[in-house]
Structure formats: structure tokens, C-alpha cells
Amino acid sequence: MIYSFIRLSVISLRLVDNIFPEDPEDGLVKANMEKLTFYALSAPEKLDRIGAYLSERLSRDVARHRYGYVCIAMEALDQLLMACHCQSINLFVESFLKMVRKLLEADKPNLQILGTNSFVKFANIEEDTASYHRSYDFFVSRFSEMCHSSYEDPDIRTKIRMAGINGLQGVVRKTVNDDLQSNIWDPQHMDKIVPSLLFNLQSGEGTESRSPSPLQASEKEKESPAELTERCFRELLGRAAYGNIKNAVTPVLMHLDNHSLWEGKTFAVRCFKIIMYSIQSQHSHLVIQQLLGHLDANSKNSATVRAGIVEVLLEAAAIASSGSVGPTVLEVFNTLLRQLRLSVDYELTGSYDASGNIGIKIIKTHEERQLQEAVIRTIGSFANTLPTYQRSEVMLFIMGKIPVPGVHPALTNAGSGGCEGTRMIQIMLLKSLVQVTTGFQTTNMLTALPNSFLEPLLSFSLMEDPEVRLLVLTILLSVIDRHDNTPKFSSISIISDISVLKLKVDKCSRQDNLFMKKHAQQLYRHIYLACKEQSSGPQHFETLYTLLALISMELANEEVVVDLIRLALALQELAQTNEESLSVYNRCAVHALSAAYLNLICQLTTVPTFCQHIHEVIEMRQKEVPFLLPEDVFIENPKLPASLEKLEGDVLFQQSKITEVLGGSGYNTDRLATPYIPQFTDEDRLSKRKSIGETISLQVEVESRNSPEKEERTPAEEITFETLKNAIVDSVGMEEQERERRRQVVEKFQKAPFEEIAAHCGARNIFPMFSLSALPRPPPSPSGTISSGYGQTQSRSVPVYEMKFPDLCVY
């Protein structure tokens, strides 16, 4: 038995010796190699002894610098490894890896490359049995080191680096699916593998990837380290499971930080394009979340670094499939909006630290502006990946973040730049809303513009800042326009035949009718008030014209058409009477806006007599007062008169004439005959832009209605059928009269001199809060008496219902 074992060992060693020729240049003796392979397959228990002997000879030949025999030994090992797949191969593999390690530790580049090539062949072999005691830590470290080779000869340096990349690819292939191996995704391995790949990818930054999967690269390109690295990087990311994405992406972020690669943006964007195209699509949101977290971590870094991260986010969001932002959609937008707010604070304070410790960092305004624009674009890019219902939630979320003066007192502190800080944040967030609403499509306007969104949005249309008002109008256009008609009304003009515009008009749905019944008066009122603004420019009037046109096509029924015509005539009256003391340009612009819209709406109604009247007035204006038409107003250098006298006759659109012609076509003549008067609400009266004089006048108005001195008791009137009939008939007229009365009271206190207001108020104290006698008495005590601060008792308090409160305290 012992003799047989010794005899087999001697035979195996002799067979190994026979594969080596006398002259190493002759190469492996193939005939003897075939005998050795046959013997190993016949006696697999001798495979580990063969491997150990080959390893011993290779170590001796390396030490003696007999590199020819080293190559022969490795070739023999490769052939044996490819041929034998028995259960005892694990021990042979240990000898093989020991020999590869010996070669990788050598100083000769050729030996390193030889060892790497053998390892790659081994990595491609599917083993029948797993091994739990095998370790690849050395190979990860050594191959990563080869990726950073700085050998003097550039050709040899390239070969060493490519060998290192191939080696890392082999390690990944060998270990990624082997549960018994140490996890290759652990940070200790990823922190070596990923930076090594990025280092070589950066060396070929000029060769931008042309497609998500560059499979048709030429042979020359395949030989470059950058192309090989990209393929290896894609394979690594493609094998990453859900729990491994973070460990693979974190070293990328750290590498970009350590080498200041965010500023250039090109390489960072390229890296994350590779990542987003390589990972499984359902994991995209994990990468985006990591980028958002990294953006937060760099909140106090320079604007160029933050802008680079935001640009990468922008590209990543564009690649991510619809709905892949993940379950925390609002958190994504919350992070971006927080960065926007921080950037505004940095720009205004000039410091990254609220305490004012600027340190060595100097904030550059233009860089912060670039960052802000990048954040706004990224918000729009994210929104485009969302379904309609989620985009509506984002719109509400952003609207809730916009500071409202008086509601967010913290915005007026020094740290946020006071009023200027509030204004800048308002503009930035409204620009973000513009991006979110761009391309927004909805079939139900009630869900697209709910009260919680529409009311605060319209309240911003009353702000003094013209840029804020223009952004609000742009948002309204984006939401209302469902058929891409906005570009067709980009400029105001008198169109003789609107059929050339090829407008897309659908029948108004039931939901749209409900929306207009609920919100039409709000829209009309804000359009009317926008035309009264002194700071409105050509863009404002063009946007208002587009808004009127879109309402006419998207949301119009017969009642809405009548109201829009009344609104256009009310705008003409506004410019005619000039109660708001508008400039000549603004008055002419309002006239031109009214003319252009009536020209459009008359053709949409297709009532010939209505169209005839509108065209007659326009022709008369072209002859006598061309400065009341858009072609002469909305140009670069409009030719306007020095003053605009009160107009009369045929150059004005006649409400009576329009009422007559439309009434004959079945329109509601009662509504047409009633001039449009905007309804003023508390929102308008208490707006930030209103003066203190208006606020006082409103208080006096409330006082005049509720004061006990003014109340007169009248005898009870007998209610009869005739009384009820008259009340019903006169209800509409009484409502309009009440609105007119309120408007006159407001305007009186807005324009009248202080002496006249004081005379009107008489001896009454309009500031009762400064009068001690006007203070309300304390509530009654349950015991009937109350004690003063000095221990004295007072008489029983007057009941609350008998107390005389100051008039301005009563609502």
C-alpha cells in the first residue's frame, strides 16, 4: 500500500519534470503535457501533489530569474485547471493561487501581467464545489495597486494598469455570486476597487461614452484603459443587488470629493450616467437619495461644489424612469428647496455661517445665482418623472413653502436679508413652480387648481413686485393650457382670421363648468387688478392676453363668454376714466389689450353682427387713434401721445351695441347690460401692498355699519307677496349697488386729503387703542365682586352682553 503511494508520487513528479524542455525557448512539451493531464484525470487525488510541486518549481525559477520556465509552469497550471473539475480541485487551486500571488509580488511587469492573465482564466471557471476558506483580499489590494501604476515606460504602464483592471473584474466575477466567500461589496473592498476604476476612467475623460452600453467599440478603443474600465465598472454595478448600491456609490462620492471633481461637472456627470444606466432601474431612487444626502452634507461647501452635485442630480433624474424617485418624493423636493433657501441666505449675508464667521471662504454672488438656477432646473427635471397626481402634490408642497409677508415673521430678520430675502425666496420658489407646471396635463381643472393652491397663488398676483406677478401668470398659463395653445398667443395682435392659428378647442366638460362656477370671479378680479398696476410692462399685458384667450378656449361656456366680454369692456372703462392715475402707456396698453381680446372672442362666438361691430371700431382706431391698438403699443419704441384725452364715439366699443347684437343671438342680455365691477375681498384689502389709509378707511366703513349711534329703529314692515316679488327682482341690482358703494368708500379714503378724512370722522377716535376709556372692562366675576390689586373690592361687573366695546373691536 505504502509502496503504491510512493510509486504514484514518483510517477506524478516525473511527469511534471518531463513537461519542461532543456531549452525554455522551445516551450511546453505538449506530448508530455497530455500525459500529465491524463494522469491527473485518472488519479485526481494526486492533483494537489502536482500543484504543490509545480508551485515549488515556479518559486525556485522566479528566485533564479529563469523566467522561461516560469511561463511554462504557469501554462501547465492553466491547462490542468481548465481540464480538471473534480471535488479535490480545491487543494490544487490553493497551489495555483499561491503561484499567482508569487508572480504578482514580483518586480517584473511581465510576471505581473502573466499572473493576472492566469487569474482571469481561473475566474472564468465555474467550480463544482464551493470553498469557504479561500481569501481574495490580497488580490483586491494588489490589482488595485496595479491600476495606479506609475511605471516610467508609458506602454508598459498602460499594460500594467489594464492587467489590474482585468484582475479586479476577475475578482468580482469569482466572488460576487459565491455565498461562502467574503462579501466583495463590503466597504473595505469597495473603497479599493471603485477608486481604482475611477482613476483609470478619469484618464480617458475625453472619450465620452456614446451610449448606455458601448458594445460596438472598435478594437483600438477596447485596448484603452478607460474603455476597459468603463466595461468593468458597468459589470460591477450591474451585479449590485438592492442592499449593495450604497456601498458601490459611496466611494464614488468620496473620490469626487477628495479630488475636487465636482467643479468641472463633466467627469462627475459621466460617472453617474454610467451608474444610472448600469444599475437595475428599480434601484435608481437609491442613487438619487444618496446624492441628496451628499448635497445636504456639503451645504456649507462652495457654490461650485453644490452646483456640481445638483447638475449630477439633474442628469440622474432625467435618466431615472417615471416614478423611480422613490416613496419619499416630497423629501426630494424638500431637500432641493432647502438648498435653494440656503443659497439665498448665503448670497444675502455673504457668509456660510449664520454667526457671521466667514473664515477663508469668500461667497461669490454669480456662483450662488448659477447654483439657484441649477436647483430650479433640477426641480423641474424631477417633476417631469412624476405622474400627474404626484406632481399636483409637489405643486401644493412648494406653494406651502413660499413665504407670505405677515404670516412668516421670521423671514424679516437680519439673517434672511429682511424684505429683500423674502422677495428673492418668493421669486425662486415661484420659478420652481413654473418648472414643475411646465408640460403639466390634467383632465380635471378642479383637482389641478384646488382652493389650497389657487387662492395663495392668486394672492401673489397682488404683490407690488412685477416679476412675482409675471411668474404667477406664467404658472396659471401652464396649468390651464391643455392643448399647447400658449405659443400661438405669444404676442398681442389683431388677427383678422383666427383660423390660421389652427387652435385646438374641446367642448367644456362638466368638471370645467364646476371649476368656473366656483373660481371664475376670482380669475376675472385678478386679471382686472393686474391691469391697474403701474409697474406692469409689455410682458404682463401679453401674458394677460394669453390667459384670457386660454380661458376662452379651455373653460368657456355661454355664461363665461358673457363675463369675459363684460370684463374686456370694464378694462376699456378703466383706461377711459383713469381713476387709478395710470400712465399714458398703461392706458394705451389696456385699450390695446381690450381690443385684441374682443377681436378674438368675437370670432370664437361666430356672431356676424358682433364681429362687424368689433371690426368697425378697430378700423376706426387704425385711422384716428392707432396708439390704442397692439401693433402700435407693444413695440420697441411706441409712438404715444403726450396725454390721452377722454375718448368718445366710434373708437370705443359700445356695451349697448354689443348687448343688442348678442342678445339677438340668444345670450343673456341682463348680464350683458350690467357693467362688470370687481368684487373686493379681505384678501385685496389687507394685501401687503395696500396703504395704511385704505386700512383705516375699511375700519371706518365697518364702524359706520355697526356703530350703535347710527342705528335707527324702523317700524316693522308688513310682508306681502308684492314685497317678496320686488325683493327678488331687485336683488341683482341691489348687490351691484352695494359693491359700488363699497368701492367708492375705499377710493374716497385712498385719494382724499387727510383734512377731509379728519373732517368726515369728526370727533370720533379712529384709533381707540390709544384711549384708556375705550379699553374693554374685565369679564364678570362668578362671585359678583372682583378684587383690585390693592385689596379693595369693586362693584359687580357689567355682563358681557351689556358691555360697550370700541367700535373697531367689533366684527
Side-chain angles (χ1 to χ4, degrees):
M1 185 77 175
I2 297 174
Y3 174 76
S4 300
F5 178 78
I6 295 174
R7 183 172 179 274
L8 287 172
S9 298
V10 172
I11 292 174
S12 60
L13 298 181
R14 187 181 299 166
L15 288 173
V16 171
D17 288 335
N18 290 339
I19 66 173
F20 291 93
E22 294 183 3
D23 186 357
E25 293 184 1
D26 294 339
L28 184 68
V29 180
K30 293 183 179 181
N32 293 337
M33 185 65 212
E34 290 176 1
K35 294 178 182 179
L36 178 62
T37 304
F38 178 77
Y39 177 78
L41 291 172
S42 303
E45 67 276 6
K46 292 299 177 183
L47 192 59
D48 59 326
R49 184 74 184 95
I50 294 172
Y53 184 62
L54 278 171
S55 176
E56 182 183 343
R57 283 204 56 157
L58 182 136
S59 299
R60 186 168 63 249
D61 291 335
V62 169
R64 295 175 179 178
H65 304 289
R66 301 199 300 182
Y67 300 123
Y69 288 118
V70 171
C71 294
I72 292 172
M74 287 307 300
E75 185 179 353
L77 278 168
D78 291 343
Q79 291 189 25
L80 287 173
L81 199 62
M82 298 296 291
C84 301
H85 293 279
C86 57
Q87 292 183 353
S88 59
I89 196 174
N90 278 329
L91 295 176
F92 175 75
V93 169
E94 292 301 323
S95 300
F96 168 80
L97 292 178
K98 182 179 178 182
M99 296 167 66
V100 172
R101 179 169 182 166
K102 189 73 175 179
L103 294 179
L104 293 176
E105 289 175 339
D107 295 332
K108 298 291 183 179
N110 290 339
L111 295 183
Q112 296 174 11
I113 295 171
L114 178 64
T116 303
N117 292 339
S118 293
F119 182 84
V120 171
K121 292 176 184 177
F122 161 70
N124 292 326
I125 295 175
E126 292 288 341
E127 296 186 54
D128 295 335
T129 57
S131 175
Y132 59 88
H133 61 276
R134 198 180 298 161
S135 174
Y136 296 96
D137 291 359
F138 166 79
F139 296 100
V140 172
S141 300
R142 183 56 182 154
F143 289 139
S144 299
E145 184 180 349
M146 291 170 65
C147 289
H148 292 85
S149 173
S150 56
Y151 201 84
E152 294 180 358
D153 190 330
D155 292 335
I156 297 177
R157 181 171 65 240
T158 298
K159 291 179 180 179
I160 295 175
R161 290 184 179 182
M162 292 182 68
I165 297 167
N166 278 320
L168 290 177
Q169 188 177 32
V171 172
V172 172
R173 287 178 179 176
K174 197 64 180 173
T175 59
V176 73
N177 294 322
D178 192 345
D179 296 334
L180 296 179
Q181 294 299 325
S182 60
N183 192 355
I184 196 66
W185 301 105
D186 286 345
Q188 60 179 348
H189 298 310
M190 285 291 107
D191 289 346
K192 297 175 183 177
I193 295 174
V194 174
S196 301
L197 296 177
L198 295 180
F199 174 78
N200 286 277
L201 189 64
Q202 186 181 356
S203 65
E205 189 176 350
T207 58
E208 182 75 22
S209 178
R210 297 159 306 286
S211 65
S213 181
L215 299 177
Q216 286 91 16
S218 65
E219 290 299 324
K220 184 176 181 181
E221 287 176 327
K222 285 182 180 179
E223 293 176 356
S224 69
E227 290 294 326
L228 180 61
T229 300
E230 184 171 339
R231 289 198 299 276
C232 181
F233 195 31
R234 288 181 185 278
E235 182 178 342
L236 174 68
L237 295 165
R239 294 174 180 267
Y242 181 88
N244 302 325
I245 295 292
K246 182 178 180 180
N247 288 346
V249 175
T250 300
V252 178
L253 299 174
M254 300 306 298
H255 181 83
L256 296 174
D257 285 344
N258 295 335
H259 297 277
S260 303
L261 296 174
W262 292 112
E263 286 90 338
K265 291 184 282 191
T266 305
F267 180 68
V269 168
R270 183 184 179 194
C271 286
F272 277 90
K273 277 187 175 181
I274 294 173
I275 293 172
M276 296 301 292
Y277 279 125
S278 301
I279 63 175
Q280 301 176 44
S281 60
Q282 65 268 28
H283 300 159
S284 298
H285 68 277
L286 295 175
V287 180
I288 291 172
Q289 285 178 348
Q290 277 193 266
L291 282 169
L292 289 169
H294 199 66
L295 181 60
D296 273 342
N298 284 272
S299 293
K300 293 188 178 181
N301 214 324
S302 65
T304 52
V305 171
R306 285 176 283 135
I309 301 173
V310 170
E311 287 288 347
V312 171
L313 267 170
L314 177 63
E315 296 292 338
I319 297 171
S321 59
S322 178
S324 68
V325 178
T328 57
V329 174
L330 295 182
E331 185 58 31
V332 172
F333 290 93
N334 192 36
T335 301
L336 292 172
L337 294 178
R338 182 167 59 248
Q339 291 298 322
L340 198 60
R341 172 68 181 275
L342 283 173
S343 178
V344 172
D345 286 345
Y346 293 158
E347 181 182 345
L348 292 172
T349 61
S351 170
Y352 292 114
D353 190 353
S355 62
N357 297 325
I358 300 178
I360 60 173
K361 295 181 179 178
I362 301 175
I363 292 179
K364 298 179 181 178
T365 302
H366 71 280
E367 291 180 352
E368 292 294 341
R369 291 289 174 89
Q370 291 174 357
L371 168 63
Q372 292 158 15
E373 294 299 325
V375 172
I376 291 171
R377 290 197 307 272
T378 305
I379 288 173
S381 180
F382 270 110
N384 289 333
T385 68
L386 300 177
T388 302
Y389 76 94
Q390 280 190 323
R391 199 186 292 201
S392 298
E393 292 177 0
V394 171
M395 290 162 55
L396 283 170
F397 182 74
I398 297 177
M399 179 58 69
K401 293 286 186 179
I402 303 179
V404 180
V407 179
H408 297 268
L411 292 171
T412 59
N413 59 23
S416 297
C419 295
E420 178 61 20
T422 301
R423 174 188 170 275
M424 287 181 64
I425 294 171
Q426 287 173 343
I427 290 175
M428 293 300 168
L429 295 181
L430 286 172
K431 285 182 177 180
S432 302
L433 265 180
V434 171
Q435 290 289 328
V436 173
T437 55
T438 300
F440 181 69
Q441 294 290 334
T442 180
T443 55
N444 190 344
M445 200 60 66
L446 279 170
T447 58
L449 289 174
N451 276 338
S452 54
F453 179 79
L454 183 61
E455 289 183 2
L457 179 67
L458 291 177
S459 69
F460 285 106
S461 70
L462 302 176
M463 301 295 289
E464 288 181 338
D465 194 312
E467 187 175 0
V468 170
R469 299 200 308 273
L470 187 59
L471 289 170
V472 170
L473 292 173
T474 305
I475 293 167
L476 282 173
L477 293 184
S478 298
V479 178
I480 293 176
D481 185 14
R482 293 173 289 187
H483 296 89
D484 299 325
N485 287 318
T486 298
K488 299 169 185 177
F489 300 103
S490 57
S491 60
I492 307 181
S493 61
I494 302 297
I495 305 169
S496 58
D497 183 8
I498 63 171
S499 62
V500 300
L501 298 178
K502 298 180 179 179
L503 300 174
K504 300 175 183 177
V505 184
D506 284 342
K507 185 178 179 181
C508 191
S509 66
R510 179 175 174 274
Q511 290 85 356
D512 293 341
N513 287 333
L514 291 174
F515 173 81
M516 291 305 290
K517 186 176 288 292
K518 189 174 182 180
H519 299 295
Q521 295 303 322
Q522 284 179 286
L523 293 172
Y524 304 152
R525 180 164 50 87
H526 284 80
I527 292 173
Y528 183 87
L529 294 175
C531 292
K532 293 169 63 175
E533 292 289 346
Q534 290 279 6
S535 57
S536 293
Q539 272 190 299
H540 293 82
F541 290 108
E542 290 172 357
T543 311
L544 287 168
Y545 170 69
T546 306
L547 179 59
L548 286 167
L550 291 179
I551 293 174
S552 305
M553 291 180 294
E554 297 282 354
L555 304 168
N557 51 32
E558 182 178 321
E559 182 179 342
V560 172
V561 168
V562 170
D563 284 339
L564 289 170
I565 294 172
R566 292 172 61 218
L567 175 60
L569 293 172
L571 292 177
Q572 176 182 261
E573 185 65 19
L574 169 67
Q576 175 76 348
T577 58
N578 196 26
E579 294 179 355
E580 299 293 327
S581 302
L582 296 173
S583 65
V584 174
Y585 174 82
N586 284 54
R587 293 177 65 189
C588 292
V590 174
H591 272 297
L593 170 63
S594 177
Y597 178 68
L598 286 172
N599 173 70
L600 174 68
I601 195 69
C602 76
Q603 296 184 62
L604 290 174
T605 57
T606 64
V607 178
T609 50
F610 182 28
C611 295
Q612 182 181 354
H613 172 66
I614 301 299
H615 292 158
E616 286 175 357
V617 175
I618 291 174
E619 289 176 4
M620 188 61 66
R621 287 190 179 187
Q622 289 172 341
K623 295 177 183 178
E624 298 184 5
V625 283
F627 48 82
L628 299 186
L629 294 176
E631 285 77 9
D632 280 32
V633 176
F634 302 110
I635 55 177
E636 189 173 349
N637 296 309
K639 296 179 181 179
L640 304 177
S643 62
L644 191 61
E645 301 297 332
K646 190 169 183 179
L647 303 170
E648 295 179 354
D650 297 337
V651 296
L652 295 177
F653 301 101
Q654 303 297 327
Q655 182 161 356
S656 58
K657 179 69 174 176
I658 294 174
T659 302
E660 178 184 347
V661 297
L662 288 180
S665 299
Y667 287 87
N668 190 332
T669 55
D670 293 337
R671 293 181 63 83
L672 281 169
T674 307
Y676 172 76
I677 299 174
Q679 298 177 0
F680 287 89
T681 65
D682 292 339
E683 177 190 355
D684 304 322
R685 298 170 178 181
L686 302 179
S687 173
K688 169 178 172 289
R689 67 187 183 89
K690 299 299 182 181
S691 65
I692 187 65
E694 276 197 43
T695 306
I696 295 172
S697 71
L698 292 166
Q699 293 174 340
V700 175
E701 181 188 357
V702 173
E703 182 181 17
S704 66
R705 292 205 303 267
N706 298 325
S707 177
E709 292 87 355
K710 294 296 181 180
E711 292 181 358
E712 296 181 2
R713 297 189 176 275
T714 58
E717 182 180 357
E718 183 181 0
I719 300 176
T720 62
F721 173 77
E722 196 66 24
T723 306
L724 294 174
K725 180 181 176 182
N726 293 336
I728 294 172
V729 171
D730 297 340
S731 60
V732 176
M734 291 294 292
E735 185 180 358
E736 296 290 346
Q737 290 177 9
E738 177 65 16
R739 292 175 190 161
E740 179 64 21
R741 190 186 71 79
R742 292 180 182 180
R743 187 178 67 83
Q744 290 175 357
V745 171
V746 172
E747 291 178 354
K748 178 178 180 180
F749 282 87
Q750 188 178 29
K751 297 179 180 180
F754 180 79
E755 292 78 11
E756 183 178 340
I757 296 174
H760 175 75
C761 295
R764 297 170 64 189
N765 183 8
I766 62 174
F767 298 105
M769 65 287 294
F770 300 117
S771 174
L772 294 176
S773 61
L775 292 174
R777 299 189 183 105
S781 172
S783 62
T785 60
I786 56 175
S787 297
S788 67
Y790 298 96
Q792 299 175 345
T793 60
Q794 299 177 355
S795 61
R796 183 183 179 86
S797 300
V798 179
V800 176
Y801 56 84
E802 293 182 5
M803 292 170 62
K804 297 294 184 182
F805 286 91
D807 295 332
L808 292 181
C809 292
V810 180
Y811 294 89

